[in-house]
Amino acid sequence: MPYVKLSAPGDVQMPLVGLGTWKATNEEIDKALTTALDAGYRQIDTAFNYNNEEAIGSVLKKWISSGKGKRENVFITTKLPVFGNRAGDVEKYLNWSLKNLQTDYVDLYLIHMPFSLIPDDTGLSPKTNEDGSFVLDLEANNVETWKAMEKSLKDGKIRALGVSNFNAMQVKKLYENSEIKPSVLQVELHAYLQQKDLRATCKELNIAITAYAPLGSPHAKSHFIEKYNYNKTDFPDILGHPVVKELAEKYNKTTGQILLRHLVQQNVIIIPKSSNPERIKQNIDVFNFELSPEDLERLNALDRGEDGRIFDFRFFKGITKHPEYPFNFKEE
């Protein structure tokens, strides 16, 4: 497994392939994570509001207790929830995640969203208005939140810090106002949304890129409809694109492996999510072939820019009115 050396203090190396767990239920986690660890995965990506950290912690404890590996052999990423983006809440939500994951530290801690929402009375979900829109937190400050995360890193609870879903301007602002610089930016990234300008900015700042939804998140549409009653039009089918299918036949690989190889060959960290054991094994089996320069360019040419974006977060009703909303959509 190739690793990416992060700019974090000390020698922090992040596996190039990890298991994504967004939308994975507790029942799915047991089978999927066990399969992944046995297949050689050594990176797990989760988040407080995925509601599966506890299940992940249980599987890891069982795996470590069985003598198959040690805690230091596994790179764990989790994230500060969008309703916990205040400096005073960092320690609370981080400690909650550490307890659920049954570990004393996480390898990477991310601010999940650049915008902030007010939590409900439970502290476990965002608060909503009577019309179903989310209550925006307009006082949270990402720089102040970051400083609280820096303290947790110095206390040994975090090894590296990063952000998710930030745009280039937001990343630069944090970089310029931080003592411990961001090591990782996690964003939606796939053949239809290649984020070339953002990646160039991160390269200048020595920030590694993690791609979520590297296969185009085929099941996201149903999730948007079921959870948020939000139906995004023109949902992409990257796996079914003729060029991707042609290359899969040429290299005797699956269409998913072609799309994943396209990214790892450019040193982009990937966290494909699957609960299918066979697919989990396929998603890590991308290091025994290499796409030719010509085929890389054919895949590069599939980029649709912003038209290829799936996760615009407008399923958070009213979110485009937040000053830290990262994309250039007009107010609703």
Side-chain angles (χ1 to χ4, degrees):
M1 168 65 68
Y3 286 74
V4 174
K5 189 177 189 313
L6 302 183
S7 62
D11 183 22
V12 182
Q13 302 205 44
M14 188 170 179
L16 200 54
V17 179
L19 180 71
T21 64
W22 175 65
K23 221 165 64 64
T25 65
N26 291 341
E27 294 74 23
E28 290 174 332
I29 285 293
D30 186 40
K31 185 176 181 181
L33 184 50
T34 301
T35 299
L37 290 168
D38 289 345
Y41 284 76
R42 292 298 179 264
Q43 184 205 152
I44 305 163
D45 182 90
T46 185
F48 181 90
N49 63 333
Y50 292 177
N51 298 314
N52 58 23
E53 289 176 322
E54 199 168 351
I56 290 170
S58 296
V59 174
L60 282 175
K61 183 179 181 182
K62 194 180 348 178
W63 184 73
I64 292 167
S65 299
S66 70
K68 291 183 177 181
K70 299 178 180 178
R71 165 65 186 91
E72 56 265 33
N73 298 147
V74 183
F75 191 103
I76 302 174
T77 299
T78 194
K79 310 174 188 79
L80 184 68
V82 63
F83 46 82
N85 270 13
R86 291 159 297 281
D89 283 344
V90 168
E91 187 174 17
K92 175 178 76 173
Y93 284 106
L94 173 60
N95 286 344
W96 214 332
S97 288
L98 293 175
K99 181 183 177 182
N100 287 339
L101 291 164
Q102 300 188 51
T103 182
D104 296 328
Y105 68 94
V106 289
D107 298 274
L108 178 62
Y109 200 55
L110 308 178
I111 298 179
H112 202 158
M113 301 286 180
F115 50 81
S116 306
L117 302 175
I118 297 289
D120 65 11
D121 292 340
T122 70
L124 297 170
S125 298
K127 189 175 183 180
T128 55
N129 296 302
E130 288 184 6
D131 66 355
S133 64
F134 289 81
V135 181
L136 306 181
D137 183 349
L138 303 177
E139 296 182 6
N141 182 302
N142 286 327
V143 172
E144 294 303 313
T145 299
W146 187 265
K147 289 177 181 176
M149 289 168 54
E150 289 178 331
K151 181 182 182 301
S152 291
L153 185 146
K154 293 174 183 177
D155 290 343
K157 294 180 179 180
I158 303 168
R159 296 181 67 217
L161 299 175
V163 292
S164 180
N165 300 304
F166 279 47
N167 64 29
M169 185 173 66
Q170 291 166 330
V171 170
K172 283 181 180 177
K173 181 180 179 180
L174 205 54
Y175 186 91
E176 291 165 357
N177 291 279
S178 57
E179 177 189 349
I180 300 171
K181 306 303 181 186
S183 293
V184 175
L185 171 64
Q186 184 181 125
V187 289
E188 177 186 350
L189 183 59
H190 45 71
Y192 282 3
L193 180 69
Q194 298 185 32
Q195 308 255 38
K196 292 171 184 175
D197 290 342
L198 182 59
R199 286 160 62 188
T201 296
C202 287
K203 188 174 182 179
E204 288 174 17
L205 302 178
N206 195 22
I207 297 172
I209 292 281
T210 297
Y212 72 74
L215 301 175
S217 197
H219 302 295
K221 183 175 183 177
S222 60
H223 177 74
F224 292 164
I225 294 170
E226 291 166 11
K227 184 170 182 179
Y228 299 102
N229 194 29
Y230 174 75
N231 190 0
K232 183 178 173 64
T233 58
D234 191 29
F235 204 87
D237 175 19
I238 308 172
L239 290 162
H241 193 283
V243 168
V244 179
K245 291 168 78 172
E246 180 189 329
L247 293 179
E249 188 173 341
K250 175 181 176 179
Y251 289 92
N252 195 28
K253 292 289 179 179
T254 67
T255 52
Q257 287 170 325
I258 294 297
L259 292 172
L260 296 177
R261 181 66 204 181
H262 175 231
L263 295 177
V264 300
Q265 200 162 315
Q266 299 175 77
N267 216 36
V268 173
I269 299 160
I270 56 171
I271 47 170
K273 184 265 177 181
S274 180
S275 57
N276 180 298
E278 193 56 39
R279 210 158 290 136
I280 288 170
K281 295 171 188 175
Q282 289 173 354
N283 288 344
I284 200 173
D285 185 23
V286 292
F287 298 108
N288 57 0
F289 75 106
E290 186 169 324
L291 297 168
S292 71
E294 296 78 17
D295 291 333
L296 271 178
E297 283 306 311
R298 293 184 71 193
L299 292 168
N300 289 343
L302 300 183
D303 192 9
R304 297 180 178 181
E306 283 301 308
D307 289 340
R309 185 179 297 282
I310 299 165
F311 294 87
D312 57 24
F313 306 114
R314 287 189 286 176
F315 47 78
F316 288 122
K317 187 178 179 182
I319 202 61
T320 59
K321 296 175 183 175
H322 197 290
E324 292 287 357
Y325 179 72
F327 311 129
N328 293 323
F329 291 110
K330 293 180 180 179
E331 283 191 2
E332 295 159 344

